[in-house]
Amino acid sequence: MARAEAKKTLRILSLSFIATVVTFVVSAPFQKSPTPYVEFPLLWIQLGVMVFLLGLFWGASAVIKRANRAVLTPTADVSHGSWWSRASSADKIALSALFFAAGSFIVAFVTLSKELMK
């Protein structure tokens, strides 16, 4: 039981680290001065990126939980393999669309924000 909790904690910490790194990489071009103080609009950009990534992780985990749910089918074989192989076609399409939409949103956000910040 402790091993499962440790894996869950490690997964949450890894996602938090990735979200933090992505947030600062995306917001780095908007930093105008090399001072250690962060400007106010930059904080809003960082907050927006963090909220977006949190929503992305939540959506992906919802699809993965749905693929891993227990199903009572006593006449069927025991499911095996990864969650991707157990997921339905609709879940696979939804998760793929979520990642492509997230990528296009990030590209559009960075492009438009750089133009608006000039």
Side-chain angles (χ1 to χ4, degrees), residues 56-57 60 83 94-104:
L56 180 68
F57 292 149
W83 62 269
L95 190 60
S96 301
L98 177 67
F99 283 118
F100 282 116
S104 62

Side-chain angles (χ1 to χ4, degrees), residues 5-95:
E5 291 175 9
K7 279 181 83 173
K8 184 177 180 181
T9 303
L10 182 62
R11 186 178 330 124
I12 290 171
L13 288 174
S14 300
L15 290 176
S16 301
F17 176 73
I18 291 169
T20 304
V21 169
V22 169
T23 298
F24 286 110
V25 166
V26 167
S27 62
F30 302 109
Q31 185 72 25
K32 293 183 180 171
S33 61
T35 62
Y37 300 106
V38 179
E39 297 174 6
F40 186 69
L42 184 63
L43 290 175
W44 282 107
I45 291 170
Q46 291 173 345
L47 179 66
V49 170
M50 289 295 283
V51 168
F52 173 73
L53 288 174
L54 181 64
L56 180 68
F57 292 149
W58 177 80
S61 67
V63 171
I64 292 170
K65 281 182 185 178
R66 179 174 159 78
N68 286 334
R69 72 187 185 282
V71 179
L72 181 60
T73 52
T75 59
D77 292 334
V78 175
S79 61
H80 59 282
S82 67
W83 62 269
W84 184 258
S85 65
R86 289 190 311 267
S88 66
S89 296
D91 290 340
K92 290 178 184 177
I93 292 169
L95 190 60

